[in-house]
Amino acid sequence: MTLTTVALALMLLTTPQAAQPAKGVNIDDLVRMRTHGVTPEFIRAMSDAGFKDLSVEQLVKLRQHGANPEYIRQMREAGFTSLTVEQLIRLRTHGVTPAFMKEIRDLGYKDLTADDFIRMRSHGVTPAYIRELRELGYGQAGA
């Protein structure tokens, strides 16, 4: 073994990629990731957003449904800081935006779960609907 070979081996062993555990990705996974636009940049951005060690399935679903780092940033800025990958996917799939969540909260509904927002959005319970009901005397329970 030459000095160059030893130096190269040491360099490879000490790179950040070498320190990370290898994920088992087969050909089908590679094709699926590429088909759905899961790029190395997307994976890095998700990691930077705090979602490290995502499975191929999670990465594909996040990308497929548009639950990207920008959506996560917007959700966090709106005060929703501890959403899981699955919650983010479901919220995005059902069209729940940070603006929708903030407006509902501003109307006094503070302690809602991700599932509550999904149910409201899925069934057409909008901020305008809530305001119209209030004008007719149907206010928030317990308020």
Side-chain angles (χ1 to χ4, degrees):
M1 195 178 273
T2 67
L3 184 55
T4 307
T5 307
V6 172
L8 180 59
L10 286 173
M11 185 181 75
L12 289 173
L13 290 173
T14 58
T15 61
Q17 293 84 5
Q20 297 174 355
K23 293 179 178 47
V25 180
N26 62 35
I27 297 299
D28 291 337
D29 291 336
L30 292 170
V31 170
R32 188 163 178 237
M33 291 169 77
R34 185 66 177 168
T35 301
H36 292 287
V38 177
T39 63
E41 293 79 19
F42 179 78
I43 296 169
R44 280 188 210 96
M46 291 305 296
S47 181
D48 291 346
F51 293 95
K52 299 175 184 340
D53 299 321
L54 295 171
S55 70
V56 169
E57 183 72 18
Q58 288 174 314
L59 287 164
V60 168
K61 282 185 177 181
L62 285 162
R63 185 73 174 150
Q64 220 173 10
H65 296 289
N68 57 34
E70 178 63 18
Y71 182 73
I72 294 166
R73 184 191 61 73
Q74 291 172 354
M75 284 297 205
R76 288 179 177 158
E77 284 178 359
F80 306 97
T81 58
S82 59
L83 295 170
T84 66
V85 168
E86 288 72 23
Q87 288 173 321
L88 286 163
I89 292 167
R90 290 187 63 234
L91 288 163
R92 186 67 175 178
T93 300
H94 288 88
V96 178
T97 64
F100 174 81
M101 294 171 85
K102 184 180 181 323
E103 200 169 351
I104 295 293
R105 286 173 105 189
D106 289 348
L107 288 169
Y109 295 89
K110 305 275 185 211
D111 297 321
L112 299 178
T113 66
D115 285 336
D116 292 330
F117 286 109
I118 290 166
R119 283 185 26 235
M120 292 174 84
R121 185 77 173 153
S122 295
H123 296 287
V125 179
T126 64
Y129 177 77
I130 293 169
R131 285 191 288 278
E132 286 181 52
L133 288 178
R134 284 185 177 173
E135 288 173 9
L136 297 171
Y138 295 90
Q140 182 178 354

